[in-house]
Amino acid sequence: MGSSYQTVLATGDLADVRTAVAESGQDAVVIPVGDRRWAVVPAQDDGYAETEDLAELLSRPEGSVAASFDVFDSDYIVAKLFRGGRGYHDYLSDQAYVIELWDEDDNEILLDPLGRPYPPNATPPTGAYGADPAAFAPLGIAPIDETALSAALRGPVHMAEKQHHAILHALNLDPRPLQMSYKRAVTSGLGV
């Protein structure tokens, strides 16, 4: 069993970040990861923390962007990027992962972690989806090494948390707080 965690990367003023976290009603720790860049580490419920609605709220102030990150069992990363309270980009580190479900007639349904369906006998694509450095660049601090960011987004990397670290590092951010559990963030003493 690998690592799983959910965090949000937010840009903008700390006061706006705190306001959005309060509006969300979620318990979360806010930790600086760069100039006007914040890790928002929400409390988990049964090992999972909802991050998309929180990222949407964090992206509402003018000029702000936010990304929700979900690292699942060291296998893959799902990132959803928001600006102006709306999603503008989705990322999946490996499209080969699918979830098997069955409908009410017991027919098999395959979905990838972004919710895209595939026919039961189809072979899903491989590699990353949405590996666009330009989409991620507003989250980082200039100068961003687009070659390193592109390589980190494309992968493949054996452990998803290592790939997440490489993406954040290429954005010139401190990756550690964005890879913490809520419990670890609370006890780290790094929260603001």
Side-chain angles (χ1 to χ4, degrees), residues 48-114:
Y48 182 78
E50 177 55 48
T51 55
E52 287 180 40
D53 292 343
L54 180 56
E56 181 181 309
L57 285 171
L58 288 160
S59 76
R60 285 185 181 169
E62 189 172 334
S64 295
V65 291
S68 65
F69 291 105
D70 185 354
V71 173
F72 181 77
D73 203 24
S74 296
D75 290 330
Y76 60 82
I77 305 164
V78 172
K80 298 202 173 193
L81 283 55
F82 297 85
R83 178 185 292 125
R86 297 185 185 276
Y88 74 89
H89 189 76
D90 292 339
Y91 170 78
L92 174 60
S93 63
D94 189 347
Q95 298 179 82
Y97 284 92
V98 292
I99 302 157
E100 295 176 306
L101 303 172
W102 286 265
D103 66 15
E104 62 277 351
D105 296 323
D106 212 26
N107 296 310
E108 184 180 28
I109 302 169
L110 299 176
L111 296 174
D112 74 9
L114 291 173

Side-chain angles (χ1 to χ4, degrees), residues 7 22 39 45 75-76 87 89 115 132 142 148 157 167 174 187:
T7 57
D45 184 20
D75 290 330
Y76 60 82
H89 189 76
D132 180 4
V157 176
I167 292 166
D174 178 359
T187 60

Side-chain angles (χ1 to χ4, degrees), residues 91-186:
Y91 170 78
L92 174 60
S93 63
D94 189 347
Q95 298 179 82
Y97 284 92
V98 292
I99 302 157
E100 295 176 306
L101 303 172
W102 286 265
D103 66 15
E104 62 277 351
D105 296 323
D106 212 26
N107 296 310
E108 184 180 28
I109 302 169
L110 299 176
L111 296 174
D112 74 9
L114 291 173
R116 299 177 305 168
Y118 294 96
N121 294 325
T123 301
T126 59
Y129 171 84
D132 180 4
F136 282 81
L139 295 161
I141 298 172
I144 294 169
D145 181 345
E146 286 202 25
T147 302
L149 180 56
S150 180
L153 289 167
R154 280 192 326 270
V157 176
H158 177 64
M159 305 290 276
E161 60 271 26
K162 288 182 180 181
Q163 185 172 11
H164 189 213
H165 185 280
I167 292 166
L168 297 169
H169 185 70
L171 290 168
N172 292 320
L173 303 172
D174 178 359
R176 294 168 300 166
L178 285 155
Q179 296 183 292
M180 287 183 181
S181 67
Y182 176 76
K183 182 178 178 180
R184 185 166 167 216
V186 167

Side-chain angles (χ1 to χ4, degrees), residues 15-28 30 40 54 57-58:
D16 290 334
V17 171
R18 287 181 172 155
T19 298
V21 170
E23 186 179 334
S24 78
Q26 286 182 270
D27 290 330
V30 177
V40 180
L54 180 56
L57 285 171
L58 288 160

